[in-house]
Amino acid sequence: MTEGLTADGAANGSWNMTDFVSPETMVQMIPSGIKLGLAPDGAGSCPAMIRLLIERGIRDLHVVCTPIGGMQIDMLIGAGAVAVLETSAISLGETGGAPCFARAIRNGELRMLDGTCPAVFAGLTAAAKGVPFMPIRGIIGSDLLKNRPDWKVTANPFDESEKIVVVSAIQPDISLIHAPEADRFGNVRLGRRREIMLLAHASKKTFVTVERISETSLLDDEKLAAGVLPAMYVSAVAEYRNAAWPTGLYTEYDLDAREVENYARAARSPEGFRAYMTGTRSAA
Amino acid sequence: MTEGLTADGAANGSWNMTDFVSPETMVQMIPSGIKLGLAPDGAGSCPAMIRLLIERGIRDLHVVCTPIGGMQIDMLIGAGAVAVLETSAISLGETGGAPCFARAIRNGELRMLDGTCPAVFAGLTAAAKGVPFMPIRGIIGSDLLKNRPDWKVTANPFDESEKIVVVSAIQPDISLIHAPEADRFGNVRLGRRREIMLLAHASKKTFVTVERISETSLLDDEKLAAGVLPAMYVSAVAEYRNAAWPTGLYTEYDLDAREVENYARAARSPEGFRAYMTGTRSAA
Amino acid sequence: MMLECTNRELLIYTISRLLAGARHVAVGMSSPMPAAGAMLRRALNKKQGREDVQVSILGSIRHNSFTGGSEELFECAAQGRIDAFFLGGGQIDGKGNVNLVGAGGYPNSEVRWPGSYGSAYLYFLVPRVILFREEHSPRVLVDQVDFISAPGVSEKGVYRRGGPHALLTSAALFSFQRDVGRFRLESVHPGRSAHEIREMTGFSFDNDGCEVQTPGPDAATLALMRNQIRTELAETYPQFAASLPEAA
Amino acid sequence: MMLECTNRELLIYTISRLLAGARHVAVGMSSPMPAAGAMLRRALNKKQGREDVQVSILGSIRHNSFTGGSEELFECAAQGRIDAFFLGGGQIDGKGNVNLVGAGGYPNSEVRWPGSYGSAYLYFLVPRVILFREEHSPRVLVDQVDFISAPGVSEKGVYRRGGPHALLTSAALFSFQRDVGRFRLESVHPGRSAHEIREMTGFSFDNDGCEVQTPGPDAATLALMRNQIRTELAETYPQFAASLPEAA
C-alpha cells in the first residue's frame, strides 16, 4: 500500500475489545483526576468498587451522577476523593440526607456543579450523539444557571422570541457500573435502566462489574437484546458478586436499608465515617 | 373544589388509553392532510394498512420516513396520496429504485424534503424531548441544506468559531407501524428496533397493527421490557396478521423478494401500478 | 356527611380532589402521600365510570410502565403526556419559587438538601404541579427562598406550560394564581383558623381571612382508602401503609 | 506470487488492504463487496495475530451488534467508535463530492436515485470513508456532481474528522489527498493502463501516468476468500456468495 493510503484515518485508539479482569485489576485501571461517571444507588451503583478505589487512595475526581447519587458518592466524598461533583441531587433515599456530602458543602471542600435531572441527561445525550451541546426547556429563572458556565441561555434559532437553555456535552473519561450479567463477549445486560446505557454511550470507556458471566451471547436472545449494552462500549468486565451491597441492584437484590442506616449514623462525623469504612467489609 | 383549583392545568386531551379496533376502523381514524410517520420496510412497515388507506382515498399526506422508506411509501406516492415527502432515501432495497417515487420526482408531483438519516433522527429526538431543535454535526457543504428551511447553520454557543447545523423538531400527527405483538393493555413489543420507539415517542399518536395480541402484560417479563413501547404512547392497536407482507417483519418473517419484484415491474408505468394495486391482495 | 378522619387521610383525600381530570399522574420517589392520593383518584374515577387514570410511581417496578430509564419521565412530560406531578422543597416562597438545594449561602450552604432533582424542568412542563409539604411553618413557607431551584412564574419569551397549581400542607390548602404570581388560601383544615395560618406562613397571600374548611372524605371514600388504597400502597410503601388506619 | 483471480476478488482483496489498522468497520445495506472485504480483513488479522476487527453489517442480525435501532450507527460514528465505512454514489467528482440524490436538476431530477442516506453525516465523522463504485466511467466519475449529497472537503470552522480515504472502482484505485482536495491514482488494475483510466474518468487527478499495478491476493489469501469468506458471506448475501469462485 502506498503512503497516501496509510497515512491518514488510522483507528484512534479510543475503542477496544472488552478485557476480562479481576476487580483489583479494574481498580488499577481507574486513575485519579479523571471525570468518572457513576450510577444511582440501586440501578448500577457499585459501592464495593468504590471502597477499593478509596483504599487505593484515588483523588481529584470529577464525579458525574446519572443523574443523582447516593451512598457510594457520599463515601467517595467522605474519603476526600471528589474535587468536582456534577449532579442533580445526592441523598440516601428513605434514610435521609447524605452526611459527608452536606459536610463537604458546608466546609467548601468540593466544587459543586448543581444540575437538574434532564439537564444531566441532555449533557450525556450530547456526548452520546457527538454534538457539543443540547437545548433544553425549563431552567430559566432558576439559580442553577448562575453557577453553570457550561450552560447558556440562547435564542431558539427558529423563533428568536423564545429564550432557551443550551447545556454542554458531558463526556466521562470512565464510567463504572454494576450490572446483573455480562457475556464472554463483553455484552452487558442492563434491562430497562436505559440511563445507564446512555451513560456508557456517552463515556470514553465503561468498566462493568457483574453478578455473573454468561457463556452464551446475550445478543442471541432477541428478547433480551434491546436491553443489552453491546461489547463495543465495554472496555472491561469483572465478576464481582454482591458488589452493589448495601445499595441494591435492580431486579437482583434489594437495598439493605438497615446497613444504609448504619452508614448514615456513623458518617455523621468524619471519625465515624472512617471507622465505618475500615470496620465494615461487605455482606458477601 | 373552588374555581381557582379547577380552572387551569386540565389534561390537554393529547393522551389517552389504548383503543383496540379492527384494521378497517383504524384506517378511518387516519385523516387526509396529516403528518404521517412510517417505518422502513421490514422493520415496522405495514403495506396492508397502506392499501386500505389508499382504497379509502387518503390524500395530501406529509409523510415522514424513519429515516428511509420503501415499497409502502412508493405505493402511497403512486396513489397520489403524498403531498410532502420527508426522508433520507426511498428504495426497494435489493430490487432497486422505487418507480412511483422516481416518476413523481420527475413530474414534480410532490414536495421533496430530502434529508440524511441522522438528521431525521435528530428531528424526531427533538420532538421526543420536547425541544424545538437539535444540533447535528456534518451536513454543512451539502446541497441538502439549500432546500431545508427547517434546517439552519448556526454557531456553537460554546465555541463561536464552529459552525453547526440545527434541525427543527419533527412531530408526526400520527405514526402507523406494524409490530410482532401487543398485549391487552396496549404495550407493544418492538425489540431492538429502537428507531420505531423514537418515532412513537415523537408522534402525537401512534397506531399499531400486530401479528398477535398477548393476554398477559409484556411488561411483566423483565427480559422483554427494555424493548417494549408502553401503552401510554399507543393510541390504538389492531390485530392484522401478515400485514407487513411482502416487505417482511423483523424477527417474524422475511421479505417476499419475488413479490417486491412483481411490484417493481408493474409500477414502472402508472397503468401497471394501478393494475397491481387492484389485482393483488395479500398473501394471507 | 363529614367523617372523622386523620390529618393524613384528609391530605390524601385532598390530593385526590386536586387531581380531578388528570389522566396521567407521575409521583416522585419517596412520596407515599402523593402516591396514595393518585391511587385514590384512580379508584374514584373507576367507581364513578370516569376516565382511566394512569399513575406512574418512580422507583416502583409495578406501578411504573416506563421502559426507557429514568430519562423517560422528563421526555414524557415534555411531550405533554403527564398531567400532574408533585414537588416538595426545603423552602417555598410566596411567588411559588421552590428551593431544594440549601439554606444559608450558596454553594457552601449551612444547611444542604439533596438538590434540585427534576424540579427546574418539570415545573415548566407539567400543567399541574402540586406543592406538597406537611410542615407548615415560617421556616418552610418563606417570603423569599435562599436559592431558586425552580421559579414559580416566568417572564415572556420563556416556554412554560406548567407550574404551581396548589400548595397543600398539614394545615391548609392554597391555590396558585399564575396571573398575579401569588397564593390564595382556599381552605383551612379542621382545627385550624385563618389567623393561625397567617401566623404559620412566612409569606403574604390572598383571601387570608378564608373561612372555608377543607372537606374530608365521605364514608364510602374513607372505606375505599382504608381497604383498597391501603393495600395498593403497601406494595410500594409498606411502612407508610401500615401507619394508616385500617378498615374496622 | 501473483495469482489468477477475478476482478471482484481483486476488489475484495483491495478493500481488505484499505482497511488495515481499522478495528471497527461498518458496512451499509446491500453492500456485499465491502462486507466481503471487511470479513477478509478480520480473517487476515486473526491469522496474523493482529488486532480484532469488528464488522457491523447494517441490515444483518447476526453481523450487527447494535441494540439501539438504526440510529446507533450514527451515534457510534460520532463517538469515534467506527474507523471505516463505505459510500457509493450515482456521481462522484474530482473534489470527492458524492451525489446519491439525482442527475439533471433538483428537486425534479430527470434521474432520481434513492437519496443521501447517512452520507451527509458519516462522511464528516468516520475517519476512513472508502468510495466504492464498480462502474468506472465519465458518467459516474464526473468533473462536478449535479447535487452534493456530501462534500469531499470542508472549510475551516466545520467540524470534520472524517472524509474520503480512497476511491476504488473495477478499473483502478485512487487515494484522496485531503490537503489539496484531489484524487491521486495509486494503482491500475491488471489489464488496464493509466491512459485508459484517464479516458474513463470525468475528472482530472494526480499521478495520472501511474504505472503501478494493483496487487492481487497470494495463494493463501485467495484460498481463505474462496473458503471461509465465501461461507461467512453466504449468511447475509447468499446470491452474491454463490456468484464468487469456490475453492477447488
Side-chain angles (χ1 to χ4, degrees):
Chain A
M1 188 83 8
T2 63
E3 245 185 81
L5 283 171
T6 51
D8 65 347
N12 65 8
S14 71
W15 178 79
N16 267 298
M17 290 287 156
T18 308
D19 290 325
F20 286 80
V21 299
S22 68
E24 292 70 25
T25 302
M26 186 176 279
V27 161
Q28 297 303 324
M29 295 160 74
I30 304 176
S32 290
I34 62 162
K35 189 176 283 194
L36 179 66
L38 293 170
D41 279 359
S45 55
C46 193
M49 286 293 288
I50 295 296
R51 278 171 171 280
L52 292 179
L53 284 171
I54 289 171
E55 282 167 22
R56 210 206 67 204
I58 197 163
R59 309 286 304 175
D60 294 323
L61 293 173
H62 177 146
V63 169
V64 174
C65 299
T66 315
I68 57 171
M71 180 175 165
Q72 65 171 2
I73 310 291
D74 201 62
M75 283 164 54
L76 271 181
I77 295 170
V82 182
V84 182
L85 180 60
E86 186 165 2
T87 190
S88 304
I90 301 287
S91 94
L92 301 183
E94 308 287 319
T95 304
C100 296
F101 166 63
R103 191 160 53 238
I105 289 286
R106 207 161 44 237
N107 298 338
E109 288 166 0
L110 52 77
R111 180 165 169 235
M112 188 66 200
L113 289 173
D114 262 296
T116 182
C117 305
V120 175
F121 290 132
L124 292 170
T125 300
K129 293 188 181 294
V131 286
F133 67 94
M134 281 273 290
I136 177 171
R137 283 213 163 116
I139 301 176
I140 297 171
S142 164
D143 286 337
L144 291 170
L145 258 172
K146 294 185 189 164
N147 298 286
R148 295 297 300 247
D150 52 339
W151 296 2
K152 277 192 179 177
V153 178
T154 60
N156 171 356
F158 297 99
D159 174 5
E160 296 286 333
S161 73
E162 186 196 344
K163 291 196 280 188
I164 190 163
V165 171
V166 288
V167 302
S168 296
I170 301 171
Q171 185 182 40
D173 296 303
I174 294 174
S175 284
L176 174 64
I177 58 169
H178 188 65
E181 189 175 17
D183 66 25
R184 277 285 162 226
F185 311 94
N187 303 300
V188 176
R189 177 158 65 84
L190 296 176
R192 52 177 128 174
R193 300 314 308 223
R194 198 100 200 150
E195 71 273 24
I196 307 302
M197 190 84 84
L198 173 63
L199 176 64
H201 284 215
S203 300
K204 291 181 193 161
K205 291 183 177 178
T206 296
F207 294 165
V208 187
T209 57
V210 294
E211 293 290 319
R212 71 195 77 87
I213 293 178
S214 155
E215 296 301 324
T216 58
S217 171
L218 296 171
L219 293 178
D220 285 350
D221 183 348
E222 194 57 33
K223 279 189 166 186
L224 281 180
V228 171
L229 174 69
M232 78 179 94
Y233 303 95
V234 180
S235 298
V237 166
E239 191 170 305
Y240 198 164
R241 277 181 202 247
N242 219 23
W245 178 83
T247 57
L249 176 60
Y250 182 73
T251 72
E252 292 278 327
Y253 44 87
D254 284 336
L255 175 87
D256 179 345
R258 185 167 306 192
E259 183 61 24
V260 177
E261 276 157 30
N262 287 343
Y263 170 80
R265 208 172 308 113
R268 272 186 219 148
S269 72
E271 301 72 34
F273 171 76
R274 277 193 294 273
Y276 177 89
M277 294 299 281
T278 49
T280 326
R281 292 302 307 176
S282 87
Chain B
M1 187 85 6
T2 63
E3 243 185 82
L5 285 169
T6 51
D8 63 349
N12 66 7
S14 71
W15 178 79
N16 267 300
M17 288 288 154
T18 309
D19 289 325
F20 286 80
V21 299
S22 69
E24 292 72 22
T25 303
M26 186 176 278
V27 161
Q28 297 304 324
M29 295 159 74
I30 304 176
S32 289
I34 62 161
K35 189 177 283 195
L36 180 66
L38 293 169
D41 279 0
S45 55
C46 192
M49 286 293 288
I50 295 297
R51 278 171 171 280
L52 292 178
L53 284 171
I54 289 170
E55 283 169 22
R56 210 206 65 203
I58 197 164
R59 309 286 303 175
D60 293 322
L61 293 173
H62 176 146
V63 169
V64 174
C65 300
T66 316
I68 57 171
M71 178 174 167
Q72 65 170 0
I73 310 290
D74 200 62
M75 283 164 53
L76 271 180
I77 295 169
V82 181
V84 182
L85 180 60
E86 185 166 1
T87 190
S88 304
I90 302 285
S91 95
L92 299 183
E94 307 288 319
T95 304
C100 296
F101 165 64
R103 191 160 53 240
I105 288 285
R106 205 160 47 236
N107 299 338
E109 288 165 2
L110 53 77
R111 180 166 169 237
M112 189 65 199
L113 290 173
D114 262 298
T116 182
C117 306
V120 175
F121 290 133
L124 292 170
T125 299
K129 293 187 183 294
V131 286
F133 67 94
M134 281 273 290
I136 177 172
R137 284 214 161 114
I139 301 175
I140 297 171
S142 164
D143 286 337
L144 292 170
L145 258 172
K146 294 184 189 164
N147 298 286
R148 294 299 299 249
D150 53 338
W151 297 2
K152 277 192 178 177
V153 178
T154 60
N156 171 355
F158 297 98
D159 174 5
E160 296 287 333
S161 72
E162 185 195 344
K163 291 197 279 188
I164 189 162
V165 171
V166 288
V167 302
S168 295
I170 302 170
Q171 185 181 39
D173 296 303
I174 294 174
S175 284
L176 174 64
I177 58 170
H178 187 64
E181 187 175 17
D183 66 25
R184 277 283 162 225
F185 311 94
N187 303 300
V188 176
R189 178 158 66 85
L190 298 175
R192 51 179 129 174
R193 300 315 307 224
R194 197 102 201 150
E195 71 274 24
I196 306 303
M197 189 84 83
L198 174 63
L199 176 64
H201 284 216
S203 301
K204 291 181 194 162
K205 292 181 177 180
T206 296
F207 295 165
V208 187
T209 55
V210 295
E211 292 291 319
R212 71 195 77 88
I213 293 177
S214 155
E215 296 301 326
T216 58
S217 172
L218 296 171
L219 293 178
D220 286 349
D221 184 348
E222 194 58 34
K223 278 188 168 186
L224 281 180
V228 171
L229 174 68
M232 78 180 95
Y233 303 95
V234 181
S235 297
V237 166
E239 190 170 308
Y240 199 164
R241 279 182 200 246
N242 220 23
W245 177 84
T247 57
L249 177 60
Y250 182 72
T251 71
E252 294 278 327
Y253 44 88
D254 284 337
L255 175 88
D256 180 346
R258 184 168 307 192
E259 183 61 25
V260 177
E261 277 157 31
N262 288 342
Y263 170 80
R265 208 173 307 112
R268 272 186 220 148
S269 73
E271 302 70 36
F273 171 75
R274 277 193 294 273
Y276 177 89
M277 293 300 281
T278 49
T280 324
R281 291 302 305 176
S282 85
Chain C
M1 187 187 96
M2 190 66 109
L3 279 195
E4 275 298 314
C5 71
T6 68
N7 183 267
R8 287 196 154 175
E9 285 175 327
L10 179 73
L11 298 185
I12 291 169
Y13 174 65
T14 304
I15 289 169
S16 80
R17 291 195 302 133
L18 292 167
L19 295 175
R23 285 184 288 189
H24 186 187
V25 181
V27 179
M29 292 199 270
S30 319
S31 309
M33 307 259 284
M39 287 169 172
L40 179 57
R41 178 78 265 157
R42 179 171 60 189
L44 286 171
N45 274 26
K46 192 154 198 172
K47 233 178 97 177
Q48 296 159 6
R50 294 175 60 187
E51 70 274 11
D52 282 336
V53 178
Q54 179 166 358
V55 180
S56 294
I57 298 178
L58 308 184
S60 157
I61 295 181
R62 198 184 174 108
H63 292 286
N64 180 348
S65 71
F66 294 128
T67 59
S70 60
E71 196 183 358
E72 192 174 359
L73 165 71
F74 305 103
E75 298 197 359
C76 205
Q79 292 157 17
R81 290 186 224 261
I82 295 177
D83 301 313
F85 189 70
F86 301 86
L87 278 181
Q91 297 177 331
I92 298 168
D93 74 20
K95 297 189 197 70
N97 299 316
V98 296
N99 174 6
L100 290 84
V101 161
Y106 184 84
N108 303 328
S109 317
E110 264 171 69
V111 179
R112 171 74 203 205
W113 301 311
S116 300
Y117 290 101
S119 64
Y121 184 78
L122 295 172
Y123 216 28
F124 291 74
L125 291 164
V126 176
R128 212 183 297 191
V129 176
I130 295 166
L131 299 170
F132 177 68
R133 179 79 205 240
E134 285 189 82
E135 180 177 340
H136 193 138
S137 74
R139 194 180 75 103
V140 170
L141 305 183
V142 298
D143 186 48
Q144 192 165 342
V145 294
D146 289 5
F147 184 97
I148 300 176
S149 283
V153 293
S154 295
E155 59 196 285
K156 205 168 157 287
V158 175
Y159 182 90
R160 185 151 198 171
R161 64 158 184 264
H165 175 66
L167 165 62
L168 179 64
T169 71
S170 61
L173 172 66
F174 302 84
S175 63
F176 189 74
Q177 308 165 112
R178 292 193 189 168
D179 47 350
V180 292
R182 277 172 68 83
F183 287 103
R184 179 181 190 275
L185 184 59
E186 291 291 343
S187 66
V188 177
H189 299 348
R192 296 289 187 184
S193 69
H195 175 76
E196 278 178 284
I197 300 302
R198 287 196 300 275
E199 295 287 309
M200 293 159 74
T201 307
F203 55 76
S204 71
F205 51 86
D206 292 344
N207 196 31
D208 66 358
C210 174
E211 298 197 348
V212 178
Q213 193 181 81
T214 310
D218 62 19
T221 304
L222 196 60
L224 191 65
M225 292 170 72
R226 291 181 177 179
N227 286 294
Q228 184 187 330
I229 304 306
R230 197 170 177 280
T231 308
E232 285 181 18
L233 206 53
E235 288 167 356
T236 315
Y237 297 108
Q239 289 178 313
F240 178 79
S243 78
L244 293 177
E246 207 173 346
Chain D
M1 187 186 98
M2 191 65 111
L3 280 195
E4 275 297 315
C5 70
T6 68
N7 185 265
R8 286 197 155 176
E9 286 175 327
L10 178 73
L11 298 184
I12 291 169
Y13 174 65
T14 305
I15 289 170
S16 80
R17 290 195 303 130
L18 290 167
L19 294 175
R23 284 184 289 189
H24 187 186
V25 181
V27 179
M29 292 199 270
S30 319
S31 307
M33 307 260 282
M39 287 169 172
L40 179 57
R41 178 77 266 155
R42 180 171 61 189
L44 287 171
N45 275 26
K46 192 156 196 168
K47 235 177 96 177
Q48 297 159 5
R50 293 175 61 187
E51 69 275 11
D52 282 336
V53 178
Q54 179 165 358
V55 180
S56 294
I57 298 178
L58 308 184
S60 157
I61 295 182
R62 198 186 174 105
H63 292 287
N64 180 347
S65 72
F66 293 129
T67 60
S70 59
E71 194 183 359
E72 192 174 359
L73 165 71
F74 305 103
E75 298 198 359
C76 206
Q79 294 157 17
R81 291 185 224 261
I82 294 177
D83 302 312
F85 188 71
F86 301 86
L87 278 180
Q91 296 177 330
I92 298 167
D93 74 20
K95 298 189 196 72
N97 299 316
V98 297
N99 175 6
L100 290 83
V101 161
Y106 184 85
N108 302 329
S109 318
E110 263 171 70
V111 179
R112 171 73 202 205
W113 301 310
S116 300
Y117 292 100
S119 64
Y121 184 78
L122 293 172
Y123 216 30
F124 292 75
L125 291 163
V126 175
R128 212 184 297 191
V129 176
I130 295 166
L131 299 171
F132 177 70
R133 179 79 205 239
E134 283 189 85
E135 180 178 341
H136 194 139
S137 74
R139 192 181 77 101
V140 171
L141 304 183
V142 298
D143 187 46
Q144 192 163 340
V145 294
D146 289 5
F147 183 96
I148 300 176
S149 283
V153 293
S154 295
E155 59 194 286
K156 208 168 154 286
V158 174
Y159 182 91
R160 185 152 198 171
R161 63 156 184 265
H165 175 67
L167 165 61
L168 178 66
T169 72
S170 62
L173 171 66
F174 301 84
S175 62
F176 189 75
Q177 309 164 112
R178 293 193 189 167
D179 48 350
V180 292
R182 278 173 67 82
F183 287 103
R184 178 181 190 276
L185 183 58
E186 292 290 341
S187 66
V188 177
H189 299 348
R192 297 287 187 184
S193 69
H195 175 77
E196 278 179 284
I197 299 302
R198 286 195 302 276
E199 294 286 308
M200 293 158 76
T201 307
F203 54 77
S204 72
F205 49 86
D206 293 343
N207 196 32
D208 65 358
C210 174
E211 298 197 347
V212 178
Q213 193 183 80
T214 310
D218 61 20
T221 303
L222 196 60
L224 191 66
M225 291 169 73
R226 290 180 177 179
N227 286 295
Q228 183 186 331
I229 303 306
R230 197 169 177 280
T231 307
E232 285 181 18
L233 207 54
E235 289 168 354
T236 315
Y237 298 107
Q239 289 178 312
F240 178 79
S243 78
L244 293 178
E246 207 174 347

